[in-house]
Amino acid sequence: MSFRTTPSVDYVEDVSPGSGALPPRAWYAASDARSLSLNGSWRFRLSATAGAEDDSFAEEDYDAGNWAEVSVPGHWVLQGDGAFGSPIYTNHLYPFPVDPPFVPTENPTGDHLRVFDLPSDWPSDGGAVLRFDGVESCARVWLNGTELGEFKGSRLAHEFAVGELLKPGGNVLAVRVHQWSAGSYLEDQDQWWLPGIFRDVTLLHRPSGGAGDFFVHASYDHTTGEGTLRVDSDVDGRVTVPALDIDVATGEPVTVAVQPWTAETPKLYDGVLVTDGERVPLRIGFRTVVLEDGLIKVNGKAVLFKGVNRHEWHPEHGRALDLETMREDVLLMKRHNLNAVRTSHYPPHPAFLDLCDEYGLWVIDECDLETHGFTEQDWRDNPVDDDRWTPALLDRAARMVERDKNHPSIVFWSLGNEAGTGRGLTAMAEWIHGRDPERLVHYEGDWNCRDTDVYSRMYAFHDEVEKIGQQLDGGTLKRRELPFIQCEYAHAMGNGPGGLADYQELFEKYERLQGAFVWEWIDHGVRHAELGYAYGGDFGEELHDGNFVCDGLVFPDRTPSPGLIEYKKVIEPVRIEGDGANGIVHVTNKQDFADLSALAFEWSCQVDGETVESGSLAVPALAPGESAEVKLPEPPADGRGGERQWTVRALLADDTSWAAKGHVVAWGQFAVGARPLPSFPATDRPVRDGDRITLGPAGFDARTGALLTIGGVEVGATPRLDVWRAPTDNDDGAEWQTDTRYGTLWRTLGLHRMRHRLVSVEGGDDALTVRTRVAPAAREVGLDTVYRWTSDGERLRLTVSVTPQGDWTVPLPRLGVRFGLAEADRVEWFGGGPGEAYPDTGKASMVGRWQSTVDGLQTPYVRPQENGARADVRWVELGGLRIEGDPEFWFTARRWTTEQLDEARHRTDLTAGDTVWVNLDHGQHGIGSQSCGPGPLPQYFLKAEPAEFSFVFSTTR
């Protein structure tokens, strides 16, 4: 006798999108029909495999009293203190064998139970719909013991008709959720794998004659200033828009004068769709999106996207976001001058799109599709080129478009991300073009632009972007006639990204280049009691991609990173330039639609970084693209002979929905004259007394020439040449960039373990000279370094001369001196601030007088790395010392060494020591964004070449 046993979970590995769900339709937050949120505490049972438990838990009399509880929306692996498994992070590798459509038997499966009563006034007529807004990755649903169906498509809404199954009390909703399914092969996005019911679950009453699906068409004719509204509805009704005196039947177009919707001027009109059984509120934005003259145009004008990619993330709740967190994202974007968001790599919670409509952001809405892991086998068996999967692809496209089609903020539908090419994608594009010809279609993987309306790329280097702008990039004829965007660029991982200003210069120079989207919005750090924030590998994953998941413009707690501050400056909508010597300001409106009437301008004059006078500045309400020259007042007289400069700011003139009056939108800064350099006559001579040398206020070790004290300030470690920095994520580069990963090249050369050989200590009539050679073990290259100390009796000057020896084939990480102070807490400086800056990340660095603590100078990157350098410093005071530079310098101060910073994997690995380590740098290598994109441009290289720089030390006590 033979037999065969197979699990009764075939639906898990079925390539179809599922069964039982209703056709997709437009999503709306509320109407006058009743609804009941089923969010909250659910009973929960976790099994190791998909078929470990039978279906009896779905029966009405099942006793789940001994089950655990989880919160819905939520991910079970982020609840239960590890009792329900752990998150898994991979960038593109599937964390299971690639054997489509099969998944491992080890398939964590969460059974969820929710018992609920209907409100006492729940209507008895009509029907009801049960809606799931997001479940990862496959769900099977029962209500009161009756199976409703099963579905895949984690970031997509699914609805089930349940009216006949409801009863007044004791309704039992059972949901079985599988972590892995055939759908997982379509959801290989660069993010944490997090199973669970992570978006809202809602019961919706559907009254007789209630609204079904509807499509709001609201176009705008920029030549007449009129908008045309037509609302197509499955259920006949009327559409009213009181502000426009519109009252028409569904399906009937009406044309009236309107104010158009744009991301800069997000005008929405409140309307109502009224059917026999329901009133549905509408928020209508009139705008027209076309591809014309090889450009993306909205309302007749080409737009320039200043965008960001946004994954949904919360450090405690994962992709389960509440409305206020979503609002916080949008407000931060608006306050930092962003005008566009790509919903990487799936449709977001629909409430986020409501916010984009309200506050004004252009949106690329992306389908829940990525098969990136198939690159490991040269795309063999890729589902998007396998006809068996096409129904699932079309279902995902339809569920995105139908759910989100009434949002004016959406200008592009994106087919997905990094899924190769294939017939399934073509089928999706054809369906979308047919269903919604009023928007454009995007997909980055289609370099020949067979299915898309835009040429889109990721991480194209600056030189290639310029060729594309000049239409010298080749490609098919169709591609050459299309506009270009970078749907991902400037990888915001760790310290960086660098090169933003250089990209923006190209985008503004060439019409074909219509902007870009930084990767990405937020670091996906998971809050962790011991590590601060955890990343890939911290949960013992079999495969992981480390901190590659922490690559955002905001930290996990949504604190803006220096990268976001830099991006705000680079993309500011008003350019403010000036001729400080002649007191002239050149103002340009860089917006596409709005004039400058919403802004007020003010000037201030600084002497040595301190504001001595300020006032308002009359700037015309320039139209988009217009410029004007405005005369500044005469600068105030200054008898100190200090450094003078102008600062001009553009501020919000009144409160807006996204920021308060006075919010700084843009600024410019320019010098009145050249910086006066400090004079330093060397008058004292070094005097040796036993094992000590005295020079002015300073004492030195006579044998080594090491600086010991300046006045009453003890120097814990003498200033000596330093070229090492704890490599940034961008220094270390992506693993596929093997030939130019600077962190690796620096380590190979040994720059992290330089040795210092004392050559001589020489005392002369006016100087103490210490000669050394600084070099790595096992290499012949080195840096001949001379420290020349002089004094005017009260101050001490150090002049460092560096001469490279040997064949230096790599740039230096930094070039300067490092020393230690026994005591230092408060820091004040005159130079760039308030935050960090490096050669290609310094546009947001404003020259002024700044103060901080030593701890406040640190930038809390999730993975510790080089950070905190302040640029263009004239002088700094800390630990009882004042240090002036000739020329300007970078300074860094921290309570741990660079070596300790380099060794740390998490912030909690860093422990403050007794010494404050100070770096005074003549040069820093650029940052770039080579953690995924290009490295620093050549002009930001710190080449190993002869250099000389000086610092003047004095005491402040």
Side-chain angles (χ1 to χ4, degrees):
M1 181 178 179
S2 63
F3 64 91
R4 180 181 182 184
T5 301
T6 58
S8 59
V9 289
D10 293 343
Y11 66 92
V12 174
E13 297 175 332
D14 192 332
V15 299
S16 74
S19 63
L22 295 169
R25 65 184 180 118
W27 190 96
Y28 50 92
S31 73
D32 64 348
R34 291 296 305 273
S35 65
L36 176 65
S37 172
L38 298 178
N39 295 344
S41 180
W42 289 49
R43 289 291 182 175
F44 177 76
R45 175 182 66 185
L46 181 64
S47 303
T49 66
E53 301 287 348
D54 61 28
D55 304 339
S56 61
F57 81 104
E59 298 298 327
E60 295 180 78
D61 57 354
Y62 187 86
D63 182 6
N66 63 344
W67 285 21
E69 294 186 13
V70 295
S71 294
V72 171
H75 306 277
W76 70 68
V77 294
L78 295 181
Q79 303 182 58
D81 294 326
F84 305 142
S86 300
I88 299 170
Y89 169 60
T90 60
N91 168 27
H92 78 278
L93 297 174
Y94 289 105
F96 48 80
V98 180
D99 182 23
F102 305 110
V103 294
T105 300
E106 297 84 7
N107 187 357
T109 295
D111 290 335
H112 299 68
L113 276 178
R114 174 79 152 86
V115 179
F116 65 94
D117 299 332
L118 293 179
S120 58
D121 58 348
W122 187 266
S124 58
D125 68 315
V129 165
L130 178 65
R131 184 175 67 204
F132 295 88
D133 283 317
V135 183
E136 183 176 329
S137 73
C138 173
R140 188 179 177 190
V141 186
W142 296 262
L143 181 62
N144 292 330
T146 298
E147 182 172 353
L148 303 180
E150 44 83 17
F151 63 89
K152 307 176 188 75
S154 298
R155 270 66 73 172
L156 300 163
H158 294 82
E159 293 182 331
F160 297 91
V162 297
E164 296 181 354
L165 300 175
L166 291 171
K167 54 187 183 180
N171 293 282
V172 177
L173 176 58
V175 185
R176 174 164 285 172
V177 180
H178 307 283
Q179 175 157 20
W180 310 123
S181 69
S184 301
Y185 285 98
L186 304 180
E187 297 173 1
D188 189 26
Q189 293 98 338
D190 174 12
Q191 60 180 343
W192 294 95
W193 299 88
L194 299 172
I197 305 172
F198 67 95
R199 287 186 185 159
D200 305 294
V201 182
T202 311
L203 183 68
L204 303 167
H205 177 240
R206 303 311 304 137
S208 299
D213 190 23
F214 59 91
F215 198 162
V216 177
H217 302 270
S219 61
Y220 178 72
D221 186 338
H222 66 279
T223 64
T224 65
E226 294 179 321
T228 299
L229 174 66
R230 187 186 82 246
V231 178
D232 296 333
S233 175
D234 288 353
V235 178
D236 290 342
R238 297 196 68 81
V239 175
T240 60
V241 186
L244 298 175
D245 292 325
I246 290 176
D247 185 347
V248 296
T250 54
E252 180 180 331
V254 57
T255 300
V256 294
V258 299
Q259 298 178 44
W261 189 98
T262 74
E264 296 167 8
T265 56
K267 175 62 178 179
L268 293 172
Y269 291 92
D270 290 322
V272 182
L273 167 62
V274 181
T275 67
D276 287 344
E278 190 174 12
R279 295 174 59 88
V280 180
L282 307 176
R283 304 206 76 190
I284 303 165
F286 291 88
R287 58 105 185 93
T288 296
V289 183
V290 297
L291 186 64
E292 184 178 82
D293 303 323
L295 298 173
I296 305 158
K297 292 185 178 181
V298 179
N299 302 339
K301 292 187 177 182
V303 295
L304 184 63
F305 297 115
K306 304 169 184 177
V308 68
N309 288 271
R310 175 187 175 269
H311 267 300
E312 294 180 307
W313 186 252
H314 187 282
E316 295 172 355
H317 308 304
R319 287 187 285 279
L321 301 188
D322 60 17
L323 179 61
E324 288 313 305
T325 299
M326 291 184 261
R327 190 186 306 276
E328 184 179 357
D329 280 345
V330 171
L331 293 178
L332 279 170
M333 291 176 187
K334 293 292 290 186
R335 291 168 185 166
H336 289 86
N337 295 331
L338 279 78
N339 71 359
V341 60
R342 175 180 175 228
T343 69
S344 52
H345 296 293
Y346 42 82
H349 191 292
F352 178 78
L353 298 174
D354 287 339
L355 295 169
C356 293
D357 294 341
E358 178 183 351
Y359 292 101
L361 288 169
W362 306 115
V363 174
I364 296 179
D365 196 0
E366 193 147 270
C367 195
D368 190 10
L369 172 63
E370 181 167 339
T371 64
H372 199 175
F374 284 89
T375 56
E376 296 297 310
Q377 54 205 58
D378 297 325
W379 297 107
R380 187 173 59 257
D381 298 326
N382 185 10
V384 305
D385 201 28
D386 184 335
D387 292 338
R388 294 176 302 165
W389 294 80
T390 299
L393 303 182
L394 290 173
D395 179 76
R396 288 171 183 250
R399 290 190 180 278
M400 170 182 68
V401 172
E402 302 296 5
R403 192 197 76 168
D404 297 342
K405 58 183 177 284
N406 295 325
H407 292 282
S409 56
I410 298 172
V411 292
F412 271 100
W413 301 116
S414 180
L415 303 181
N417 184 68
E418 292 177 315
T421 57
R423 300 184 298 275
L425 289 167
T426 299
M428 293 171 69
E430 290 175 349
W431 185 90
I432 293 173
H433 276 122
R435 177 59 174 146
D436 184 19
E438 298 168 358
R439 291 183 175 92
L440 305 179
V441 171
H442 167 273
Y443 178 64
E444 184 273 339
D446 182 14
W447 283 19
N448 289 326
C449 303
R450 179 181 64 180
D451 302 321
T452 63
D453 299 311
V454 62
Y455 178 29
S456 177
R457 289 281 302 281
M458 296 179 182
Y459 308 107
F461 289 17
H462 296 75
D463 55 352
E464 184 184 5
V465 170
E466 181 156 34
K467 289 180 180 177
I468 294 170
Q470 297 168 333
Q471 295 185 309
L472 299 176
D473 55 304
T476 63
L477 175 62
K478 179 183 178 183
R479 192 180 89 179
R480 294 198 302 273
E481 294 176 343
L482 291 179
F484 175 80
I485 64 171
Q486 289 229 75
C487 67
E488 292 181 23
Y489 88 124
H491 198 244
M493 185 177 179
N495 187 335
L500 282 169
D502 307 275
Y503 271 122
Q504 194 64 25
E505 182 179 345
L506 295 173
F507 300 152
E508 296 180 6
K509 181 177 181 181
Y510 298 103
E511 188 179 50
R512 187 189 184 194
L513 308 179
Q514 292 198 248
F517 297 76
V518 168
W519 185 268
E520 63 156 307
W521 176 242
I522 188 168
D523 287 342
H524 299 204
V526 177
R527 198 179 302 278
H528 192 284
E530 298 176 1
L531 303 176
Y533 291 109
Y535 50 76
D538 289 333
F539 297 99
E541 300 101 305
E542 184 178 58
L543 295 173
H544 68 85
D545 285 290
N547 68 310
F548 202 69
V549 77
C550 295
D551 46 13
L553 291 172
V554 296
F555 297 128
D557 64 357
R558 285 177 163 75
T559 300
S561 76
L564 182 58
I565 306 302
E566 175 79 355
Y567 196 30
K568 175 186 177 180
K569 174 61 179 170
V570 166
I571 61 175
E572 57 192 8
V574 183
R575 178 169 295 158
I576 301 172
E577 300 170 312
D579 178 352
N582 295 309
I584 294 174
V585 181
H586 190 80
V587 179
T588 302
N589 182 358
K590 304 298 293 183
Q591 298 178 106
D592 297 322
F593 297 93
D595 64 22
L596 298 187
S597 59
L599 300 179
F601 290 78
E602 66 177 24
W603 61 268
S604 60
C605 187
Q606 291 82 38
V607 177
D608 288 340
E610 293 186 296
T611 296
V612 295
E613 198 168 326
S614 62
S616 60
L617 186 68
V619 174
L622 300 170
E626 286 188 345
S627 299
E629 285 190 350
V630 182
K631 183 68 175 175
L632 289 164
E634 289 297 317
D638 173 51
R640 294 178 290 173
E643 180 179 352
R644 296 191 295 171
Q645 65 189 14
W646 294 104
T647 302
V648 175
R649 294 177 174 87
L651 318 169
L652 286 181
D654 296 293
D655 291 346
T656 70
S657 63
W658 50 269
K661 177 182 178 180
H663 168 78
V664 178
V665 173
W667 59 272
Q669 200 171 52
F670 24 92
V672 175
R675 173 200 171 197
L677 295 176
S679 61
F680 191 91
T683 59
D684 280 26
R685 61 180 299 171
V687 177
R688 178 169 182 171
D689 183 5
D691 58 0
R692 189 177 179 91
I693 296 173
T694 301
L695 176 61
F700 298 82
D701 184 290
R703 183 177 58 85
T704 63
L707 177 66
L708 302 175
T709 59
I710 302 176
V713 177
E714 180 181 348
V715 179
T718 188
R720 67 177 187 174
L721 192 74
D722 190 16
V723 299
W724 182 243
R725 72 184 187 196
T728 67
D729 292 313
N730 288 306
D731 288 337
D732 284 336
E735 61 184 11
W736 56 86
Q737 297 163 321
T738 55
D739 57 337
T740 54
R741 295 171 65 189
Y742 299 106
T744 300
L745 294 173
W746 294 336
R747 289 186 196 278
T748 300
L749 187 59
L751 300 189
H752 60 306
R753 48 177 175 77
M754 300 289 274
R755 297 291 181 261
H756 298 251
R757 177 170 63 86
L758 178 64
V759 176
S760 64
V761 179
E762 305 167 5
D765 290 340
D766 63 350
L768 173 65
T769 303
V770 180
R771 302 182 186 277
T772 68
R773 187 173 190 272
V774 182
R779 307 291 177 182
E780 64 177 355
V781 298
L783 300 167
D784 287 350
T785 306
V786 178
Y787 308 93
R788 188 172 187 270
W789 297 94
T790 56
S791 177
D792 64 357
E794 294 183 354
R795 298 177 296 168
L796 183 69
R797 182 184 185 108
L798 168 63
T799 300
V800 182
S801 301
V802 180
T803 304
Q805 301 294 334
D807 184 15
W808 284 85
T809 59
V810 299
L812 298 173
R814 70 183 338 139
L815 181 66
V817 296
R818 176 171 63 166
F819 66 98
L821 290 174
E823 296 181 10
D825 184 27
R826 300 295 306 178
V827 184
E828 183 174 358
W829 73 97
F830 173 29
E836 71 183 27
Y838 292 82
D840 54 349
T841 68
K843 294 298 182 182
S845 181
M846 178 183 286
V847 174
R849 288 274 289 271
W850 307 103
Q851 294 184 0
S852 176
T853 62
V854 169
D855 294 338
L857 294 173
Q858 314 310 310
T859 303
Y861 294 114
V862 174
R863 186 193 74 82
Q865 55 197 272
E866 166 61 34
N867 74 89
R870 269 55 178 182
D872 302 315
V873 175
R874 283 73 163 155
W875 55 257
V876 59
E877 293 181 356
L878 77 166
L881 291 181
R882 178 184 175 97
I883 307 163
E884 300 175 76
D886 180 13
E888 292 90 351
F889 59 99
W890 278 271
F891 95 87
T892 309
R894 53 177 66 105
R895 299 186 187 278
W896 38 78
T897 65
T898 300
E899 291 74 19
Q900 290 168 329
L901 183 63
D902 188 13
E903 292 174 0
R905 302 274 67 85
H906 296 88
R907 299 181 209 168
T908 52
D909 295 334
L910 294 168
T911 303
D914 296 331
T915 301
V916 172
W917 294 95
V918 181
N919 276 89
L920 310 174
D921 290 320
H922 175 63
Q924 281 269 359
H925 188 60
I927 296 295
S929 65
Q930 200 173 16
S931 51
C932 195
L937 289 168
Q939 60 264 37
Y940 305 118
F941 276 40
L942 179 58
K943 297 178 180 178
E945 55 190 14
E948 184 172 282
F949 47 93
S950 297
F951 304 102
V952 175
F953 298 81
S954 57
T955 60
T956 59
R957 296 173 179 170

Coordinates of all heavy atoms in Angstrom, one line a residue, residues 464-497:
E464 N 27.8 61.1 -16.6 CA 26.8 60.5 -17.4 C 25.5 61.3 -17.4 O 24.8 61.5 -18.5 CB 26.5 59.1 -17.0 CG 25.5 58.4 -17.9 CD 25.1 57.0 -17.5 OE1 25.5 56.6 -16.4 OE2 24.3 56.3 -18.2
V465 N 25.1 61.9 -16.3 CA 23.9 62.7 -16.2 C 24.1 63.9 -17.1 O 23.1 64.3 -17.8 CB 23.6 63.1 -14.8 CG1 22.6 64.2 -14.7 CG2 23.2 61.9 -13.9
E466 N 25.3 64.5 -17.2 CA 25.5 65.6 -18.0 C 25.3 65.2 -19.5 O 24.7 65.9 -20.3 CB 26.8 66.3 -17.8 CG 27.1 67.5 -18.7 CD 28.0 68.5 -18.1 OE1 29.0 68.0 -17.5 OE2 27.9 69.7 -18.4
K467 N 25.8 64.1 -19.9 CA 25.7 63.6 -21.3 C 24.2 63.4 -21.6 O 23.8 63.7 -22.7 CB 26.5 62.3 -21.5 CG 28.0 62.5 -21.5 CD 28.7 61.1 -21.7 CE 30.2 61.3 -21.7 NZ 30.9 60.1 -21.8
I468 N 23.5 62.8 -20.6 CA 22.0 62.6 -20.9 C 21.4 64.0 -21.1 O 20.5 64.2 -21.9 CB 21.4 61.9 -19.7 CG1 22.0 60.4 -19.6 CG2 19.9 61.8 -19.8 CD1 21.6 59.7 -18.4
G469 N 21.7 65.0 -20.2 CA 21.2 66.3 -20.4 C 21.5 66.9 -21.8 O 20.7 67.6 -22.3
Q470 N 22.7 66.6 -22.3 CA 23.0 67.0 -23.6 C 22.5 66.2 -24.8 O 22.8 66.4 -25.9 CB 24.6 67.1 -23.7 CG 25.2 68.1 -22.7 CD 26.7 67.9 -22.6 OE1 27.3 66.8 -22.9 NE2 27.4 69.0 -22.3
Q471 N 21.8 65.1 -24.4 CA 21.2 64.1 -25.3 C 22.3 63.4 -26.1 O 22.2 63.1 -27.3 CB 20.2 64.8 -26.3 CG 19.0 65.3 -25.6 CD 17.9 65.9 -26.5 OE1 18.2 66.7 -27.3 NE2 16.7 65.4 -26.4
L472 N 23.4 63.2 -25.4 CA 24.6 62.5 -26.0 C 24.7 61.1 -25.4 O 25.8 60.5 -25.5 CB 25.9 63.3 -25.8 CG 25.9 64.7 -26.4 CD1 27.2 65.4 -26.0 CD2 25.8 64.7 -27.9
D473 N 23.7 60.6 -24.8 CA 23.8 59.3 -24.1 C 23.4 58.1 -25.0 O 23.5 57.0 -24.6 CB 22.8 59.3 -22.9 CG 21.4 59.7 -23.3 OD1 21.2 60.7 -23.9 OD2 20.5 58.9 -23.0
G474 N 23.0 58.3 -26.2 CA 22.7 57.2 -27.1 C 21.3 56.6 -26.7 O 20.4 57.3 -26.3
G475 N 21.2 55.3 -27.0 CA 20.0 54.6 -26.7 C 19.0 54.7 -27.8 O 19.3 55.2 -28.9
T476 N 17.8 54.1 -27.6 CA 16.8 54.1 -28.7 C 16.3 55.5 -29.0 O 16.5 56.5 -28.2 CB 15.6 53.2 -28.3 OG1 15.0 53.8 -27.1 CG2 16.1 51.8 -27.9
L477 N 15.8 55.7 -30.2 CA 15.2 57.0 -30.5 C 14.1 57.4 -29.6 O 14.1 58.6 -29.1 CB 14.6 56.9 -32.0 CG 13.9 58.2 -32.5 CD1 14.9 59.4 -32.5 CD2 13.3 57.9 -33.8
K478 N 13.3 56.5 -29.1 CA 12.2 56.9 -28.2 C 12.9 57.4 -26.9 O 12.4 58.4 -26.4 CB 11.3 55.7 -27.9 CG 10.3 56.0 -26.9 CD 9.4 54.8 -26.5 CE 8.4 55.1 -25.4 NZ 7.6 54.0 -25.0
R479 N 13.9 56.7 -26.4 CA 14.5 57.1 -25.2 C 15.1 58.5 -25.3 O 15.0 59.3 -24.4 CB 15.6 56.1 -24.7 CG 16.1 56.4 -23.3 CD 17.1 55.4 -22.9 NE 18.5 55.8 -23.3 CZ 19.6 55.2 -23.0 NH1 19.5 54.0 -22.4 NH2 20.7 55.7 -23.3
R480 N 15.8 58.8 -26.4 CA 16.4 60.1 -26.6 C 15.4 61.2 -26.6 O 15.7 62.4 -26.3 CB 17.2 60.1 -27.8 CG 18.4 59.2 -27.8 CD 19.5 59.5 -28.8 NE 18.9 59.5 -30.2 CZ 18.8 58.5 -31.0 NH1 19.3 57.3 -30.5 NH2 18.4 58.5 -32.2
E481 N 14.1 60.9 -26.9 CA 13.1 61.9 -27.0 C 12.3 62.1 -25.7 O 11.4 62.9 -25.6 CB 12.1 61.6 -28.1 CG 12.8 61.7 -29.5 CD 11.8 61.3 -30.6 OE1 10.8 60.6 -30.2 OE2 12.1 61.6 -31.8
L482 N 12.7 61.3 -24.6 CA 12.0 61.4 -23.4 C 12.8 62.2 -22.3 O 14.0 62.3 -22.4 CB 11.8 59.9 -22.9 CG 10.8 59.1 -23.6 CD1 10.7 57.7 -23.0 CD2 9.4 59.7 -23.7
P483 N 12.0 62.7 -21.4 CA 12.7 63.4 -20.2 C 13.4 62.4 -19.4 O 13.1 61.2 -19.4 CB 11.5 64.1 -19.5 CG 10.3 63.2 -19.8 CD 10.6 62.7 -21.2
F484 N 14.3 62.9 -18.5 CA 15.1 62.0 -17.7 C 14.9 62.4 -16.2 O 14.9 63.6 -15.9 CB 16.6 62.2 -18.1 CG 17.5 61.4 -17.2 CD1 17.7 60.1 -17.3 CD2 18.2 62.1 -16.1 CE1 18.6 59.3 -16.5 CE2 19.1 61.4 -15.3 CZ 19.3 60.0 -15.5
I485 N 14.8 61.4 -15.4 CA 14.8 61.6 -13.9 C 15.7 60.5 -13.3 O 15.9 59.5 -13.9 CB 13.4 61.6 -13.3 CG1 12.8 60.2 -13.4 CG2 12.5 62.7 -13.8 CD1 11.5 60.0 -12.6
Q486 N 16.3 60.8 -12.2 CA 16.9 59.8 -11.4 C 16.0 59.4 -10.3 O 15.8 60.2 -9.3 CB 18.2 60.4 -10.8 CG 19.3 60.6 -11.8 CD 20.7 60.0 -11.4 OE1 20.8 58.8 -11.4 NE2 21.6 60.8 -11.0
C487 N 15.4 58.2 -10.4 CA 14.4 57.8 -9.4 C 15.1 57.5 -8.1 O 14.5 57.5 -7.0 CB 13.5 56.7 -9.9 SG 14.4 55.1 -10.1
E488 N 16.4 57.2 -8.1 CA 17.2 57.1 -6.9 C 18.6 57.7 -7.2 O 19.2 57.5 -8.3 CB 17.4 55.6 -6.5 CG 16.2 54.9 -6.0 CD 16.5 53.5 -5.6 OE1 17.6 53.2 -5.3 OE2 15.5 52.7 -5.7
Y489 N 19.1 58.5 -6.3 CA 20.4 59.1 -6.4 C 20.8 59.5 -5.1 O 20.0 59.5 -4.1 CB 20.5 60.2 -7.5 CG 20.2 61.6 -7.0 CD1 21.1 62.6 -7.1 CD2 19.0 61.9 -6.3 CE1 20.8 63.9 -6.7 CE2 18.7 63.2 -5.9 CZ 19.6 64.2 -6.0 OH 19.3 65.5 -5.6
A490 N 22.1 59.9 -4.9 CA 22.6 60.4 -3.7 C 22.2 59.6 -2.5 O 21.4 59.9 -1.7 CB 22.0 61.9 -3.5
H491 N 22.9 58.4 -2.4 CA 22.5 57.4 -1.3 C 22.8 58.0 0.1 O 24.0 58.2 0.4 CB 23.4 56.2 -1.6 CG 22.8 55.0 -0.9 ND1 23.6 54.3 0.0 CD2 21.7 54.3 -1.1 CE1 22.9 53.2 0.5 NE2 21.7 53.2 -0.2
A492 N 21.8 58.2 0.8 CA 21.9 58.9 2.1 C 22.2 58.0 3.3 O 21.5 58.0 4.3 CB 20.6 59.7 2.4
M493 N 23.3 57.2 3.1 CA 23.7 56.3 4.1 C 24.8 56.8 5.0 O 25.8 57.2 4.4 CB 24.1 55.0 3.4 CG 24.4 53.8 4.4 SD 24.9 52.3 3.5 CE 25.2 51.2 4.8
G494 N 24.6 56.9 6.3 CA 25.6 57.4 7.1 C 25.9 58.9 6.8 O 25.1 59.7 6.5
N495 N 27.2 59.2 6.9 CA 27.7 60.6 6.7 C 27.5 60.9 5.2 O 28.2 60.3 4.4 CB 29.1 60.7 7.2 CG 29.6 62.1 7.1 OD1 29.1 63.0 6.3 ND2 30.6 62.4 7.9
G496 N 26.7 61.8 4.8 CA 26.5 62.2 3.4 C 25.0 62.4 3.2 O 24.2 62.6 4.1
P497 N 24.6 62.4 1.9 CA 25.4 62.2 0.7 C 26.1 63.4 0.3 O 25.7 64.5 0.5 CB 24.3 61.8 -0.3 CG 23.1 62.6 0.1 CD 23.1 62.6 1.6

